Amino acid sequence: MKCPLCSIMLISLEFAGIEIDYCMECKGIWLDIGELEYLIAEEDGDEYLEPMAAVGVKGKGRACPICTRSMKKIHLGPTKDILLDQCPSHGIWFDRGELNKFISTGRDEKRSSRLVQLLDEFFPGVDDQIEGGE
Amino acid sequence: MSSGTIFFIVVAGIVILAGIYLVIAYNSLVALRNQIENAWSQIEVQLKRRHDLIPNLVETAKGYMGHERQTFEAVTQARAKAAGAKTIPAISQAETMLSEALSRFMAIVENYPELKANQNFLAVHEELASTENRIAFARQAYNDSVLFLNNKVQMFPSNIVAGMFNFTQGEFFELEVPGDRAVPKVNFG
Amino acid sequence: MFWSVIAANKRKTYALIFLMGVFLLGTGYAVGMAVAVYNRPMAGLAGLAAAAFIWFVMLMVSLYGSDRVILSISNAKRVHRDKWPQLYNIVEEMKIASSLPKMPEIYIVEDTAPNAFAVGKSPEKCSICVTAGLLAACSRDELQGVVAHEVGHILNRDVMYMTVAATMLGSILLISDMFLRSFKYSPTIRFGSRSRISGAGGAGIIVLVASVFLAIVGPILARILYFSISRKREYLADATSARLTRYPEGLASALEKILKSTATLNFAPSATAPFYIANPYKQHLGGNAFATHPPLSERIRILRAMSAGAGYIDYMKAYIQVTNTRTSLLRASDITDTGRIEIRQASKASSGTELSHGVSRRKAGDIIRAMNNFVFVSCPCGVRIKLPPQYTGNQIRCPRCRRIHDIPETDNKNLRSILTASTALDGKNVMLEDPGQNMGIDLPSSRKQTVSLLPGKWQTFTCNHCGCSHELSPSFSGRRLTCSHCGSRITILQQASSN
């Protein structure tokens, strides 16, 4: 599986029950569609799923790392400042920083999703890392 | 055609058919007998395999449960006895004792979680468990084949062929019931 | 082994080959006649020859290469003993139990849905395939039950019939597809059908109608044939499984897992999705959706109703009791029990852990990764890093805690030990079995039995007694913890937040 941006191989990371695919180069994150649903369904039922329902946006996204078809551009979460790439049958791609934005969006809503909490735990300093430039 | 010729043809036909039957029946009897031999050798192979695994098991376990000397010795001794057994009744008795020693050993292993988590031990344990299964299954397969042969030897018309070529009934092999360990004696003609 | 079933399957196979030949030749002739504009008889003969050729090729393929074709469609990978000793052992046990003449080849299918199937034209040459999902979800006894079920199909020659039928079905679909295509694009149909039919007269119409009929009915026929496979065979294979393993509960609980999972597990993880093709052979053991299989729930109930013993007679009794039918499964002559077949004890080796779907799916994904030479690195901070074989470099920095790890060489070791060295976490405060014992990871050298918990952080520590590692969530507020592995008590000190 290759990063849709850098075309290098993604590595998989597993932590406390979630699994993501991660690009060592651009720090982008791929979440399998099942991962997201599994976690959301397990923790919050449909309650959290509702505001997270993807809103389709016009425009072609990048190539899905699995099927290589171009992904849809979507908004995920209650606000509309994050534009993500989603392959309807395979998963969602978060560019660097997008995941953290997504996390903070979740925080504003004061919904203590395990997913949000864990993703934050997973990469405590991803943003610093990017801005600090290693 | 005279009636003599017809008679001759009929007789010849019957003889040929009987001959064909004889060949088929004989071959299937031989096949069964070989199957039984195979099944028995499979049992022997698995018993040997168990003997080979035990030193590994003991070696792996020693580091973790050093003060369970007695248990080790019981297993090692039982193994030595089983490996040294020559006659079939002796083998089946020694193997039963070995099984008992091993199951006592495994019961004690339950008290050693570190050992249970050890990769080598897990591997040896899996092999040993599988070998136990194989011995059980090989015995079962052996007994099944013996039953088939016995049916053929007893039933008409294959019993005629069996009688002609000295096929005798095989004997069932029992290991588990103490005191009633049948001797796995197969008489191959 | 059921002699009457074996004989029936052999008969069916030969009949199928013959009928298929007749059908193909007929279709070929009809196609030739219908497509031709000039020189009808010659075209008919050409169609006949083409059909005969296709039939011959298909026959050869179905007899000598069908297993390879099906295995490669199913994305199955051959595994040898050293790769998965337990699976190999189980298959060999069943080989011994059933007196199979040769050890079947073993394949793992890269699919997360638990399932299994067997292919091959004879017991001498057959293969047993299990999915990674099955390996992940099943205990030893359950796996044994499933393998024995497949061996049952091999013994009863169901596999032989199915393999030939599948290839033959392929040939029918191919030829009628060619026909329909020629119909669609043939200029005679498109531009001049009227003149052609009127010119050909009554015979032409008959040929055309017949060939349309064949082309439409052909695939339907093939489908019917495909589904006409005796429904009894699954029960019989279950009966064989129970008798071979002498443990009906093994198969029953495996079937239960398959039943439960079909609802939720039907997508492949990222590692395999590109190769994933849904195909009917995969549904072999599972699939309520297919008419070839009786309902799984009923099969489970029958197996669980076998309380008296594990023999064929016991299965028959349970079958009659559960299905409430009078028609028995077998002829009396088929039952070859040597007497009472006792049900054995559950094997100790199988600690049937109930895994959630998410966990067993992840475990299946890891099996597939291990098969594809991924390298697993467990970081002491709790992250497991799974590196694809294409990853270049000798080191990797953990994205969470920034530790740098050397990447171990991929040795083609036992897949299972690679996986147990980094067992899946179930999302709660859990332990990793055997943390990085062979992984070349620098564990914290000082093992303290007292652990201080930093506020607001996930934390990993190793148990002093057994060396397994534990995860503490930031929300953990207890004073003490019992190691879930060895049972020893660990004291947790809550640190002040200023720390």
Coordinates of all heavy atoms in Angstrom, one line a residue, chain A residues 1 9-17 19 21-22 24 32 34-35 38 66 90 114 118 121-124 129, chain C residues 267 270 273-274 358 361-362 369 381-388 390 396-397 399-400 402 424-425 427 456 458:
Chain A
M1 N 0.8 -1.2 0.0 CA 0.0 0.0 0.0 C 0.9 1.2 0.0 O 1.8 1.4 0.8 CB -0.9 0.0 1.3 CG -2.2 0.5 1.0 SD -3.3 0.0 2.3 CE -3.1 1.4 3.5
M9 N 5.9 3.3 0.5 CA 5.1 2.3 1.2 C 4.7 2.9 2.6 O 5.5 3.4 3.3 CB 5.9 1.0 1.5 CG 6.2 0.2 0.2 SD 4.7 -0.2 -0.7 CE 4.1 -1.5 0.4
L10 N 3.4 2.7 2.9 CA 2.9 3.0 4.2 C 3.3 1.9 5.2 O 3.4 0.8 4.8 CB 1.4 3.2 4.2 CG 0.8 4.2 3.3 CD1 -0.7 4.1 3.3 CD2 1.2 5.6 3.7
I11 N 3.5 2.3 6.4 CA 3.7 1.3 7.5 C 2.5 1.2 8.3 O 1.7 2.2 8.4 CB 5.0 1.6 8.3 CG1 4.8 2.9 9.1 CG2 6.2 1.6 7.5 CD1 5.8 3.0 10.2
S12 N 2.2 0.1 8.9 CA 1.0 -0.1 9.7 C 1.4 0.1 11.2 O 2.5 -0.4 11.6 CB 0.4 -1.4 9.5 OG 0.1 -1.6 8.2
L13 N 0.6 0.8 11.9 CA 0.8 0.9 13.4 C -0.4 0.5 14.1 O -1.5 0.7 13.7 CB 1.1 2.4 13.7 CG 2.3 3.1 13.0 CD1 2.2 4.6 13.3 CD2 3.6 2.5 13.5
E14 N -0.1 -0.3 15.2 CA -1.3 -0.8 16.0 C -1.0 -0.3 17.4 O 0.0 -0.4 17.9 CB -1.3 -2.3 15.9 CG -2.5 -2.9 16.6 CD -2.5 -4.4 16.6 OE1 -2.0 -5.0 15.6 OE2 -2.9 -4.9 17.7
F15 N -2.1 0.2 18.0 CA -2.0 0.7 19.3 C -3.3 0.6 20.0 O -4.3 1.2 19.5 CB -1.4 2.1 19.4 CG -1.3 2.7 20.8 CD1 -0.2 2.2 21.5 CD2 -2.1 3.6 21.3 CE1 -0.1 2.7 22.8 CE2 -2.0 4.1 22.6 CZ -0.9 3.6 23.3
A16 N -3.3 0.0 21.2 CA -4.5 -0.1 22.0 C -5.8 -0.4 21.2 O -6.8 0.2 21.4 CB -4.7 1.2 22.8
G17 N -5.7 -1.3 20.3 CA -6.9 -1.7 19.6 C -7.2 -1.0 18.3 O -8.2 -1.3 17.7
E19 N -5.8 0.4 14.5 CA -4.7 0.2 13.5 C -4.8 1.2 12.5 O -5.9 1.5 11.9 CB -4.9 -1.2 12.9 CG -3.7 -1.6 12.1 CD -3.8 -3.0 11.6 OE1 -3.4 -3.9 12.3 OE2 -4.4 -3.2 10.5
D21 N -2.6 3.1 9.0 CA -1.4 3.1 8.1 C -0.9 4.5 8.1 O -1.6 5.5 8.0 CB -1.9 2.6 6.8 CG -2.3 1.1 6.9 OD1 -1.4 0.3 7.0 OD2 -3.5 0.8 6.9
Y22 N 0.4 4.5 8.1 CA 1.1 5.8 8.4 C 2.2 6.0 7.3 O 2.9 5.1 7.0 CB 1.7 5.7 9.8 CG 2.4 6.9 10.3 CD1 1.7 8.1 10.6 CD2 3.8 6.8 10.5 CE1 2.4 9.2 11.0 CE2 4.5 7.9 11.0 CZ 3.8 9.1 11.3 OH 4.5 10.2 11.8
M24 N 5.7 7.6 6.7 CA 6.9 8.1 7.4 C 7.4 9.4 6.8 O 8.1 10.2 7.5 CB 8.0 7.1 7.4 CG 7.7 5.8 8.1 SD 7.4 6.0 9.9 CE 9.1 6.2 10.5
D32 N -8.5 2.5 7.6 CA -9.3 1.6 6.9 C -10.8 1.8 7.3 O -11.0 2.2 8.5 CB -9.0 0.1 7.3 CG -8.0 -0.5 6.4 OD1 -7.8 0.1 5.3 OD2 -7.5 -1.6 6.8
G34 N -13.2 0.0 7.9 CA -13.6 -0.9 9.0 C -13.1 -0.4 10.4 O -13.8 -0.5 11.3
E35 N -11.9 0.1 10.4 CA -11.3 0.6 11.6 C -12.2 1.6 12.2 O -12.5 1.6 13.4 CB -9.9 1.1 11.4 CG -8.8 0.1 11.1 CD -8.6 -0.9 12.3 OE1 -8.8 -0.5 13.4 OE2 -8.3 -2.0 11.9
Y38 N -15.6 0.2 13.3 CA -15.5 -0.7 14.4 C -15.3 0.1 15.7 O -16.0 -0.1 16.7 CB -14.2 -1.6 14.2 CG -13.7 -2.2 15.4 CD1 -14.4 -3.1 16.2 CD2 -12.3 -2.1 15.7 CE1 -13.9 -3.7 17.3 CE2 -11.8 -2.7 16.8 CZ -12.5 -3.5 17.6 OH -12.0 -4.1 18.6
I66 N -5.6 1.6 -1.9 CA -5.9 0.2 -2.1 C -6.4 -0.1 -3.5 O -5.8 -0.9 -4.2 CB -7.0 -0.2 -1.1 CG1 -6.4 -0.1 0.3 CG2 -7.5 -1.6 -1.4 CD1 -7.4 -0.3 1.4
H90 N -13.0 1.7 0.9 CA -11.8 1.3 1.6 C -11.4 2.1 2.8 O -10.9 1.5 3.7 CB -10.6 1.2 0.5 CG -10.9 0.2 -0.5 ND1 -11.0 0.5 -1.8 CD2 -11.0 -1.1 -0.4 CE1 -11.2 -0.6 -2.5 NE2 -11.2 -1.6 -1.7
R114 N -13.5 7.5 22.3 CA -12.3 6.8 22.5 C -11.4 6.9 21.3 O -10.2 7.0 21.5 CB -12.7 5.3 22.7 CG -11.5 4.5 23.1 CD -11.9 3.1 23.6 NE -10.9 2.2 23.3 CZ -11.0 1.3 22.2 NH1 -12.1 1.4 21.5 NH2 -10.1 0.5 22.0
L118 N -7.7 8.2 21.7 CA -6.6 7.3 21.3 C -5.8 7.9 20.2 O -4.6 7.8 20.2 CB -7.2 5.9 20.9 CG -7.6 5.1 22.1 CD1 -8.1 3.8 21.6 CD2 -6.5 4.9 23.0
E121 N -3.6 10.2 21.7 CA -2.5 9.5 22.4 C -1.5 9.0 21.5 O -0.3 8.9 21.7 CB -3.1 8.4 23.2 CG -3.4 8.7 24.6 CD -2.2 9.1 25.3 OE1 -1.1 8.5 25.1 OE2 -2.3 10.1 26.1
F122 N -2.0 8.5 20.3 CA -1.1 7.9 19.4 C 0.0 8.8 18.9 O 1.2 8.4 18.9 CB -2.0 7.4 18.2 CG -1.6 6.2 17.6 CD1 -2.5 5.2 17.2 CD2 -0.2 5.9 17.4 CE1 -2.1 4.0 16.6 CE2 0.1 4.7 16.8 CZ -0.8 3.8 16.4
F123 N -0.4 10.0 18.6 CA 0.6 10.9 18.1 C 0.6 12.2 18.9 O 0.0 13.2 18.5 CB 0.3 11.2 16.7 CG 0.4 10.0 15.8 CD1 -0.8 9.4 15.4 CD2 1.6 9.4 15.5 CE1 -0.7 8.3 14.6 CE2 1.7 8.3 14.8 CZ 0.5 7.7 14.3
P124 N 1.2 12.1 20.1 CA 1.1 13.3 21.0 C 1.6 14.5 20.4 O 1.1 15.6 20.5 CB 1.8 12.9 22.3 CG 2.5 11.6 21.9 CD 2.0 11.0 20.7
Q129 N 6.1 18.1 15.6 CA 7.1 17.4 14.8 C 7.2 18.0 13.4 O 8.2 18.3 12.9 CB 6.7 16.0 14.8 CG 7.9 15.1 14.6 CD 7.5 13.6 14.7 OE1 6.7 13.3 15.6 NE2 8.0 12.8 13.9
Chain C
F267 N -15.0 -7.7 4.5 CA -14.1 -6.9 3.7 C -12.6 -7.2 4.0 O -12.4 -7.7 5.1 CB -14.3 -5.4 3.9 CG -13.8 -4.9 5.2 CD1 -12.6 -4.3 5.3 CD2 -14.6 -5.1 6.4 CE1 -12.1 -3.9 6.5 CE2 -14.1 -4.6 7.6 CZ -12.8 -4.1 7.6
S270 N -6.5 -3.7 4.4 CA -5.8 -2.9 3.3 C -4.7 -3.8 2.6 O -4.5 -3.6 1.4 CB -5.1 -1.7 4.0 OG -4.4 -2.1 5.1
A273 N -6.9 -6.1 0.1 CA -8.1 -5.7 -0.7 C -7.9 -5.7 -2.2 O -8.8 -6.0 -2.9 CB -8.5 -4.3 -0.2
P274 N -6.7 -5.3 -2.7 CA -6.6 -5.2 -4.2 C -6.8 -6.6 -4.8 O -7.1 -6.7 -6.0 CB -5.1 -4.8 -4.4 CG -4.7 -4.2 -3.1 CD -5.5 -4.9 -2.0
G358 N -13.3 -7.3 15.8 CA -12.3 -6.4 15.5 C -10.9 -7.0 15.7 O -10.0 -7.0 14.9
R361 N -10.2 -9.9 13.3 CA -10.0 -9.4 12.0 C -8.6 -8.9 11.9 O -7.8 -9.1 10.9 CB -11.0 -8.3 11.6 CG -11.0 -8.0 10.1 CD -11.8 -6.8 9.9 NE -11.0 -5.6 10.3 CZ -11.5 -4.6 11.0 NH1 -12.7 -4.6 11.4 NH2 -10.7 -3.6 11.3
R362 N -8.1 -8.2 13.0 CA -6.8 -7.6 13.0 C -5.8 -8.8 13.0 O -4.8 -8.7 12.3 CB -6.6 -6.8 14.2 CG -5.3 -6.1 14.2 CD -5.3 -4.8 15.0 NE -6.5 -4.0 14.6 CZ -7.5 -3.6 15.4 NH1 -7.4 -3.9 16.6 NH2 -8.4 -2.9 14.9
R369 N -0.2 -10.4 6.7 CA 1.0 -9.6 6.6 C 2.3 -10.5 6.8 O 3.2 -10.4 6.1 CB 1.0 -8.5 7.7 CG 0.1 -7.4 7.3 CD 0.5 -6.2 8.2 NE -0.4 -5.1 7.9 CZ -1.6 -4.9 8.5 NH1 -1.9 -5.7 9.5 NH2 -2.4 -3.9 8.2
C381 N 6.6 1.3 24.1 CA 5.5 2.3 24.4 C 4.1 1.7 24.1 O 3.1 2.4 24.4 CB 5.7 3.6 23.7 SG 5.3 3.6 22.0
G382 N 4.1 0.6 23.5 CA 2.8 -0.1 23.3 C 2.4 -0.1 21.8 O 1.4 -0.7 21.4
V383 N 3.2 0.6 21.0 CA 2.8 0.6 19.6 C 3.5 -0.6 18.9 O 4.6 -1.0 19.2 CB 3.4 1.9 18.9 CG1 3.2 1.8 17.4 CG2 2.6 3.1 19.4
R384 N 2.7 -1.2 18.0 CA 3.3 -2.3 17.2 C 3.4 -1.7 15.8 O 2.5 -1.2 15.2 CB 2.4 -3.5 17.1 CG 2.6 -4.4 18.3 CD 1.6 -5.6 18.1 NE 2.0 -6.5 17.0 CZ 1.2 -7.2 16.4 NH1 -0.1 -7.2 16.7 NH2 1.6 -8.0 15.4
I385 N 4.7 -1.8 15.3 CA 4.9 -1.3 14.0 C 5.0 -2.5 13.0 O 5.7 -3.5 13.3 CB 6.2 -0.5 14.0 CG1 6.2 0.6 15.1 CG2 6.5 0.1 12.6 CD1 7.5 1.2 15.3
K386 N 4.3 -2.4 11.9 CA 4.3 -3.5 10.9 C 4.8 -2.9 9.6 O 4.2 -2.0 9.0 CB 2.8 -4.0 10.7 CG 2.2 -4.4 12.0 CD 0.7 -4.5 11.9 CE 0.1 -4.7 13.3 NZ -1.4 -4.7 13.2
L387 N 6.0 -3.4 9.3 CA 6.7 -2.8 8.1 C 6.5 -3.7 6.9 O 6.7 -4.9 7.0 CB 8.2 -2.7 8.5 CG 8.5 -1.7 9.6 CD1 10.0 -1.9 10.0 CD2 8.3 -0.3 9.1
P388 N 6.2 -3.1 5.8 CA 6.1 -3.9 4.6 C 7.5 -4.3 4.1 O 8.4 -3.7 4.4 CB 5.4 -2.9 3.6 CG 5.8 -1.6 4.1 CD 5.8 -1.7 5.6
Q390 N 8.8 -4.0 1.5 CA 9.4 -3.0 0.6 C 10.1 -1.9 1.4 O 10.8 -1.0 0.8 CB 8.4 -2.4 -0.3 CG 7.8 -3.3 -1.4 CD 6.6 -4.0 -0.9 OE1 6.3 -4.1 0.3 NE2 5.8 -4.6 -1.8
I396 N 13.9 2.1 12.4 CA 12.6 2.8 12.3 C 12.4 3.6 13.6 O 12.7 3.1 14.7 CB 11.5 1.8 12.1 CG1 10.1 2.5 12.0 CG2 11.4 0.7 13.2 CD1 9.6 2.5 10.6
R397 N 11.8 4.8 13.5 CA 11.5 5.6 14.7 C 10.1 5.4 15.0 O 9.2 5.6 14.1 CB 11.9 7.0 14.4 CG 11.6 7.9 15.6 CD 11.6 9.4 15.1 NE 12.9 9.8 14.8 CZ 13.7 10.6 15.6 NH1 13.2 10.8 16.8 NH2 14.9 11.0 15.3
P399 N 6.7 6.4 15.9 CA 6.0 7.8 15.8 C 5.5 8.2 17.1 O 5.2 9.4 17.2 CB 4.9 7.5 14.7 CG 5.2 6.2 14.1 CD 5.9 5.4 15.1
R400 N 5.2 7.3 18.0 CA 4.6 7.8 19.2 C 5.6 8.3 20.3 O 5.5 9.4 20.8 CB 3.8 6.6 19.8 CG 3.1 7.0 21.1 CD 2.1 6.0 21.6 NE 1.5 6.3 22.8 CZ 1.5 5.6 23.9 NH1 2.2 4.5 23.9 NH2 0.9 6.0 25.0
R402 N 9.1 8.0 19.8 CA 10.3 8.4 19.1 C 11.5 7.6 19.4 O 12.6 8.0 19.2 CB 10.6 9.9 19.4 CG 9.5 10.8 19.1 CD 9.9 11.8 18.1 NE 9.1 13.0 18.2 CZ 9.5 14.2 18.0 NH1 10.8 14.4 17.8 NH2 8.7 15.3 18.1
A424 N -2.3 -9.4 19.3 CA -3.2 -8.2 19.2 C -3.6 -7.7 20.5 O -3.8 -8.5 21.4 CB -4.3 -8.6 18.3
L425 N -3.8 -6.4 20.6 CA -4.4 -5.9 21.8 C -5.9 -5.8 21.7 O -6.4 -5.5 20.6 CB -3.8 -4.4 22.0 CG -2.3 -4.4 22.1 CD1 -1.8 -3.1 21.5 CD2 -1.9 -4.5 23.5
G427 N -7.8 -3.6 23.1 CA -8.3 -2.3 23.2 C -8.5 -1.9 24.6 O -8.8 -0.7 24.9
G456 N -2.6 11.6 32.6 CA -2.9 11.9 31.2 C -2.1 11.3 30.2 O -2.0 11.7 29.0
W458 N -0.8 7.5 28.3 CA -0.8 6.0 28.2 C 0.5 5.5 28.6 O 1.5 6.2 28.4 CB -1.1 5.5 26.8 CG -2.5 5.4 26.5 CD1 -3.4 6.4 26.0 CD2 -3.3 4.2 26.6 NE1 -4.6 5.9 25.9 CE2 -4.6 4.6 26.2 CE3 -3.1 2.9 27.0 CZ2 -5.7 3.7 26.2 CZ3 -4.1 2.0 27.0 CH2 -5.4 2.4 26.6

